[in-house]
Amino acid sequence: MTNISGKTGSSINADDYMDDQRKFSGRLRYFFNVTDTRNLFVSNEALGAAKRLVESSRQGNQSPETTVDDVIRAKYLTDSAYHADTGQRMNLIGRMSFQVPGGLLITAALMQFYKTAPQVIFWQWVNQSFNALVNYTNRNAKSPTTNKQIGVAYVSATTAAVATSLGLNRALRSAPPLIGRFVPLVAVAAANCVNIPLMRQQELANGVSVFDDNANDVGKSRVAAALGISQVCISRISIATPGMIVAPVVMEKVLEPMAFMKRIKPFHVFFQAGLCGMCLLFMVPIGCALFPQKASIPVSYLESQLKHSIHETNPKLKHVTFNKGL
């Protein structure tokens, strides 16, 4: 990112001063700002003003007093609250800036209440309801999903998570307690591998729009859709994994053996939440930054028909880009 924060004038384009999304370090810096939980407390009026400032910066007609810092802050706020495809403001719970507060509460509950069937069913249902909303909110909106498809994905993912949890709990009855604490992690990973592809099955069936270097739509690709969805699955699992490994180990080996912890067992969930929150604070931006949101794929990897069409119209084009979603 260019370091000219004091610059003012009417020629400041927000896109020119963003972190380099081709590099992991640039994406990480970007997502630390976009997923910042404090963005949730910005009013709709302020978000609207930020979006207008970004749009005016692209047209080169913002106020002469506007600084680069103003435009960069506005861009982060806009990207945290507005969908990349539709430009519409996203629901609050589905935004990536809600991942830390929402995730820490649900993850802590999953790891604290996992021993009985009612606990497993309830908290896996809560988790999949949250995941379904996040997946829908951050989908590639150029590939519409029907209500029936959303319902099938939601029920299938919840069933997968509950079945995995109950099955492993039964299979690991005689295993050490610490092993049992990792059951929710396996269930979450399994559910993500079901929920995300089903929620975005329209993309797998019909493909996602891919673009040339000038942002011209050159067709739809199912291969690109599969690549994007697999990257999102990896990112989501990577976000959840450290907290669901660190918290059980710390609770089992460090905190729970302490005398005072034995006297406050009903409050253990709050300690779990604190441990999960510390992990998520870093893992949400890291997980989001693993792959570029504006993904790229070589033309040679695309379907034969699309590849042939691109070679006829733009033979020098070697890569196409697409929105993989979050």
Side-chain angles (χ1 to χ4, degrees), residues 34-255:
V34 171
T35 64
D36 190 333
T37 302
R38 292 174 295 181
N39 294 340
L40 296 171
F41 301 99
V42 178
S43 68
N44 290 338
E45 291 75 15
L47 290 174
K51 186 182 181 185
R52 289 191 295 273
L53 177 55
V54 171
E55 291 171 347
S56 64
S57 79
R58 288 170 176 159
Q59 298 166 4
N61 60 6
Q62 76 271 21
S63 168
E65 290 76 29
T66 301
T67 67
V68 171
D69 281 343
D70 294 334
V71 174
I72 290 174
R73 175 59 180 158
K75 182 68 164 63
Y76 286 140
L77 284 176
T78 301
D79 289 355
S80 75
Y82 291 90
H83 197 281
D85 289 335
T86 66
Q88 299 297 310
R89 190 169 64 244
M90 297 182 286
N91 69 79
L92 194 74
I93 296 176
R95 298 176 194 173
M96 296 310 291
S97 51
F98 193 81
Q99 282 289 296
V100 172
L104 72 87
L105 294 173
I106 294 173
T107 304
L110 283 170
M111 293 188 296
Q112 184 67 29
F113 308 113
Y114 66 94
K115 295 182 179 179
T116 68
Q119 290 175 341
V120 168
I121 293 171
F122 177 75
W123 285 107
Q124 289 293 348
W125 168 73
V126 171
N127 186 46
Q128 291 312 313
S129 298
F130 177 61
N131 285 344
L133 182 58
V134 172
N135 292 339
Y136 178 76
T137 302
N138 294 280
R139 72 200 184 283
N140 184 321
K142 294 184 182 298
S143 301
T145 304
T146 66
N147 290 335
K148 180 180 179 180
Q149 291 169 332
I150 293 172
V152 169
Y154 175 56
V155 172
S156 299
T158 303
T159 302
V162 171
T164 302
S165 292
L166 294 179
L168 287 176
N169 278 345
R170 185 178 182 84
L172 298 174
R173 280 178 179 173
S174 59
L178 181 59
I179 300 299
R181 287 179 178 266
F182 295 129
V183 168
L185 170 60
V186 180
V188 166
N192 270 320
C193 292
V194 172
N195 195 336
I196 296 171
L198 283 177
M199 185 65 72
R200 297 173 60 178
Q201 60 186 285
Q202 198 71 14
E203 298 173 39
L204 293 171
N206 300 322
V208 294
S209 296
V210 294
F211 303 88
D212 64 15
D213 298 333
N214 298 315
N216 297 312
D217 190 333
V218 295
K220 288 184 176 291
S221 171
R222 293 186 297 275
V223 174
L227 174 62
I229 290 171
S230 64
Q231 290 178 347
V232 170
C233 288
I234 293 170
S235 293
R236 295 291 184 82
I237 293 171
S238 71
I239 288 172
T241 298
M244 299 187 82
I245 290 177
V246 170
V249 172
V250 172
M251 291 295 295
E252 183 82 15
K253 299 297 184 181
V254 180
L255 295 179

Side-chain angles (χ1 to χ4, degrees), residues 24-41:
F24 175 76
S25 59
R27 296 195 298 272
L28 184 60
R29 191 180 303 112
Y30 169 80
F31 278 111
F32 260 114
N33 285 280
V34 171
T35 64
D36 190 333
T37 302
R38 292 174 295 181
N39 294 340
L40 296 171
F41 301 99

